[in-house]
Amino acid sequence: MQSLWNDRDAAACHNDPLALRAYTSRLLGREPSLVLHGGGNTSVKAPITNLFGEPEQVLLVKGSGWDLATITEAGFAPVRLDVLQRMAELPKLTDTDMVKAQRAATLDPGAPTPSVEAILHAIIPFAWVDHTHADAVVTVTNTPDGGRRVREIYGDRVLIVPYVMPGFILARAVYEMTRQTDWRALDGLILLNHGVFTFGDDARASYELMIKLVGQAEDYLAANGKKKSSPVKAAGAPPDALAQLARLRKAVSTARGSSMVARLDQGGDALEFASLPGVADLASRGPLTPDHVIRTKPKGMVVGQDPVASVQEYGVRYEQYFARHRTSGLSALDSAPRWAVLPGVGTITFGGSAADADIAADIVRHTRRAIQAAETLGGWMPLGEAELFEVEYWELEQAKLKKPGSPRPFQGKVAVVTGAASGIGKAVAEALHGAGAAVLGLDINPSIKTQFNQSGLAGGVCDVTDQAAVTASVEKAVGLFGGLDLLVSNAGLFTPSSALADLDEATWQKSLALNLSSHRYLLQAATPYLKLGVDPAVLIIGSKNVPAPGPGAGAYSVAKAGLTQLARVAALELAGDGIRVNVMHPHAVFDTGAWTPEVLAERARSYGVSVEEYKAKNLLKAEVTSADVAALALAMLGAPFAKTTGAQVPIDGGNDRVI
Ligand code: ZN
């Protein structure tokens, strides 16, 4: 563990305690093996001057919901220190009352809610306090004789705190344990199965002590822990691996009661873990630290021959676990696993979005490593299930998962959109992603890869007239997100205008290949996965030219008419599998790549009108935008069209020939 302290960056804080506090907190946050996704917290005690000009001591403590990796000064709440210290003297306090009292003692009503560890920070008699869930320290303590090993590493320079619930109970336990303690003789607190606290008179001292203590645990693991193993060879994915993945994701989504994105990890570490002889037992013993339980559930799942049966069995066991520990008034959470082992293949995580599944994947990556290290230290022994249950059903942990607002309409859905680098395709792909879906956007334009390059919005280069490339792209989407629910077949091109008498063969063939056959390739490749999707739906982008063809647009209109017929037949054939297929006929969406100035001029000429007249040539005199089309697309893929298939919906500002 290396110190990341930098004199120049520290000097830029100008000795302002809050600026320095944010700075060294981010140093901790930069190291995922110290804190992962919201784990850990920090504080500084400092004087402030109140409204009446009087000095007051406050604890500036990390706010709930802030991540140490990205925290700024705004992420700390100023809480009256004397109130927090007096709270530690109370013999009893419920967590709800504790949060309420901490909130009331916060001097800035706009500040975030103080960390649930604020009282513990307050009673440590040093200005600076740092707390992490360092992998190495927790790994050592998650073994049968963890306490003894901690003594072996640190001697008497740390206080060992046996595991108790975080929050008031932990603060109270430390308060009682340290009444007679000479804090100056300590380097830190080691909280078994939980983490480590360090403290100091200045920002650097407390931070460097954290690095030192964690480094010692890492050295101990290196000397006593996991030996280098030879790389494991992949067993080779079974021929129907992707279909099995989609089946598994659907079963997990059903158990959850909403769509889940699945992320498969087949990297070297994941494969090695998934190939361990005792992996089924190891994956179900428990998490690295109890706060992970809200992201990973108490146990991982091991996938057997039949993924659906595995999920059902996991659910039954979860319900039994709930029944064993429930207290009155508690209702069970969903029984879907959040991570699983595919023996001999890798590990897989599930989340309501790609970002959530990725957070679970980070946690699982660290957990796998810790399990393997602890196994060579006498055995992986995390907290027992009674303690895990307490944390999983702790109101304060559950509150972390409850984001404001209602769930987004396409949360956890997986979509493929073609022609996604510009115009209608781009607008639809971005709208789906904004509404919660994980999206693979395809385009022949290589810029798609840089345009769509964030969590849950990926880009892939694909020539949709190449059947093999289309199949590979659909498989890519399933591999990336675990399945496929929504297909938007949009890629197309307005081929140059020509009267039929003058139409050349190349233009005709090009239009048929791009505007008709490519959609069949996509539909055919996607159908097996759509059948395993969650409320699957297909949207085909047709054209106003289907109901109202224009002169000179023969190649385009004929292909789009054929495409509409393809969609109608697909609607008939796929209804039995619950797959809806609908067609949208847009027109005059001038903010798309298809409407180059040349095309516009050409079309206007075909109708014998000016470009301006052509643009306003609809009954509502409305200009239809890509965003309007995207809004209709989301409606047609979503709940408003849940009971509609085989429909053709125009979006053209009103056209008397269509009406
Ligand atoms: Zn903690």
Side-chain angles (χ1 to χ4, degrees):
M1 182 62 52
Q2 293 295 315
S3 167
L4 301 173
W5 179 271
N6 176 305
D7 283 332
R8 211 185 45 205
D9 292 345
C13 299
H14 302 293
N15 281 324
D16 173 48
L18 188 52
L20 267 171
R21 184 60 283 179
Y23 166 61
T24 59
S25 300
R26 286 193 300 271
L27 294 186
L28 294 174
R30 264 164 62 182
E31 181 49 74
S33 65
L34 288 176
V35 287
L36 262 183
H37 300 295
N41 38 61
T42 56
S43 70
V44 60
K45 301 174 183 78
I48 58 146
T49 305
N50 71 18
L51 192 62
F52 309 103
E54 302 150 352
E56 254 187 286
Q57 277 290 326
V58 293
L59 180 79
L60 293 154
V61 64
K62 193 196 96 158
S64 265
W66 281 80
D67 197 311
L68 290 184
T70 50
I71 198 161
T72 61
E73 293 169 34
F76 292 87
V79 194
R80 283 176 56 192
L81 188 61
D82 58 334
V83 175
L84 290 171
Q85 286 168 340
R86 284 187 65 194
M87 283 167 75
E89 295 167 21
L90 293 171
K92 259 193 166 157
L93 185 65
T94 68
D95 290 313
T96 308
D97 287 343
M98 176 188 77
V99 169
K100 224 185 268 175
Q102 288 181 355
R103 188 94 210 125
T106 302
L107 295 179
D108 175 1
T113 299
S115 160
V116 297
E117 310 291 17
I119 300 176
L120 178 47
H121 282 259
I123 60 169
I124 295 177
F126 284 87
W128 299 80
V129 178
D130 291 37
H131 168 49
T132 72
H133 297 167
D135 285 2
V137 174
V138 183
T139 300
V140 171
T141 76
N142 279 355
T143 57
D145 51 355
R148 181 191 60 76
R149 291 177 188 276
V150 170
R151 271 285 163 257
E152 195 183 323
I153 298 170
Y154 304 111
D156 292 332
R157 289 179 298 104
V158 298
L159 180 76
I160 299 178
V161 183
Y163 179 81
V164 291
M165 271 286 278
F168 180 74
I169 297 173
L170 174 61
R172 178 77 199 157
V174 174
Y175 175 76
E176 287 296 338
M177 283 176 83
T178 56
R179 280 170 181 264
Q180 312 293 330
T181 297
D182 173 11
W183 284 87
R184 291 268 156 201
L186 292 178
D187 284 347
L189 308 179
I190 302 291
L191 278 43
L192 299 184
N193 313 104
H194 177 165
V196 48
F197 274 82
T198 56
F199 28 81
D201 295 324
D202 61 67
R204 184 170 188 177
S206 184
Y207 169 74
E208 299 282 5
L209 262 180
M210 178 64 70
I211 301 302
K212 182 179 141 193
L213 294 190
V214 176
Q216 285 178 292
E218 287 180 339
D219 292 346
Y220 182 85
L221 284 176
N224 300 279
K226 186 173 173 256
K227 307 284 176 287
K228 262 236 158 316
S229 53
S230 47
V232 181
K233 273 211 188 82
D240 65 340
L242 285 175
Q244 286 290 73
L245 177 61
R247 213 167 271 130
L248 174 62
R249 168 184 172 260
K250 180 162 189 183
V252 172
S253 299
T254 306
R256 174 83 191 269
S258 61
S259 298
M260 301 281 269
V261 170
R263 297 287 248 171
L264 177 60
D265 183 350
Q266 291 180 280
D269 284 2
L271 174 62
E272 184 183 321
F273 181 77
S275 308
L276 293 173
V279 69
D281 168 40
L282 292 175
S284 56
R285 281 195 213 157
L288 183 55
T289 66
D291 62 316
H292 290 169
V293 90
I294 55 167
R295 299 280 187 188
T296 61
K297 291 263 173 192
K299 292 166 191 252
M301 178 180 81
V302 176
V303 184
Q305 289 296 322
D306 176 358
V308 179
S310 299
V311 174
Q312 283 166 350
E313 195 183 313
Y314 182 94
V316 169
R317 294 224 175 122
Y318 184 84
E319 282 155 20
Q320 291 166 345
Y321 150 83
F322 178 76
R324 276 197 294 279
H325 301 286
R326 68 177 303 172
T327 51
S328 63
L330 218 51
S331 46
L333 297 166
D334 72 84
S335 62
R338 298 298 189 273
W339 75 286
V341 178
L342 290 167
V345 179
T347 55
I348 182 165
T349 52
F350 307 97
S353 63
D356 275 351
D358 287 343
I359 288 176
D362 283 342
I363 291 172
V364 167
R365 184 163 49 248
H366 286 258
T367 308
R368 285 188 319 238
R369 240 179 267 151
I371 290 176
Q372 288 185 269
E375 274 296 283
T376 54
L377 285 189
W380 173 245
M381 203 179 84
L383 272 185
E385 66 168 36
E387 288 86 1
L388 292 175
F389 183 88
E390 256 192 307
V391 176
E392 188 180 5
Y393 282 85
W394 188 24
E395 63 206 271
L396 303 183
E397 283 294 317
Q398 288 303 319
K400 284 190 196 169
L401 290 181
K402 287 196 190 99
K403 292 180 187 131
S406 47
R408 294 178 293 172
F410 290 89
Q411 193 76 47
K413 289 292 186 83
V414 181
V416 166
V417 180
T418 65
S422 61
I424 290 174
K426 184 175 163 72
V428 173
E430 286 175 344
L432 278 171
H433 182 245
V439 181
L440 175 65
L442 302 175
D443 207 289
I444 198 166
N445 184 341
S447 76
I448 189 74
K449 288 185 100 164
T450 44
Q451 282 194 60
F452 288 180
N453 184 18
Q454 48 177 301
S455 184
L457 183 59
V461 179
C462 179
D463 174 358
V464 290
T465 63
D466 175 348
Q467 188 165 12
V470 169
T471 304
S473 294
V474 167
E475 289 172 351
K476 180 180 169 173
V478 178
L480 267 179
F481 302 124
L484 181 61
D485 311 309
L486 307 170
L487 190 66
V488 180
S489 202
N490 162 67
L493 185 73
F494 195 87
T495 38
S497 294
S498 167
L500 289 173
D502 308 319
L503 185 61
D504 66 275
E505 180 62 14
T507 302
W508 175 255
Q509 290 299 344
K510 187 178 178 187
S511 183
L512 288 181
L514 185 56
N515 295 319
L516 176 56
S517 297
S518 76
H519 297 266
R520 177 174 68 81
Y521 302 155
L522 186 65
L523 199 59
Q524 279 188 318
T527 297
Y529 301 110
L530 289 170
K531 286 181 178 178
L532 300 169
V534 180
D535 190 18
V538 176
L539 179 63
I540 304 275
I541 305 299
S543 166
K544 173 234 62 164
N545 278 38
V546 174
Y556 182 75
S557 302
V558 168
K560 286 286 189 179
L563 173 59
T564 303
Q565 200 71 342
L566 177 83
R568 296 174 72 200
V569 174
L572 292 169
E573 291 182 356
L574 300 177
D577 293 299
I579 304 170
R580 299 177 283 116
V581 184
N582 290 299
V583 185
M584 187 201 287
H585 292 316
H587 183 54
V589 188
F590 296 114
D591 64 337
T592 69
W595 289 97
T596 60
E598 296 77 47
V599 170
L600 258 178
E602 206 176 72
R603 293 317 300 151
R605 210 178 310 122
S606 311
Y607 284 95
V609 295
S610 72
V611 167
E612 290 318 304
E613 284 166 332
Y614 181 72
K615 270 187 157 182
K617 217 168 85 66
N618 64 58
L619 294 171
L620 296 172
K621 305 265 180 267
E623 191 172 335
V624 184
T625 65
S626 305
D628 297 327
V629 175
L632 178 60
L634 263 57
M636 293 179 76
L637 290 165
F641 274 66
K643 291 166 188 174
T644 301
T645 193
Q648 300 176 46
V649 182
I651 175 162
D652 53 13
N655 183 311
D656 50 8
R657 292 175 58 216
V658 173
I659 291 169

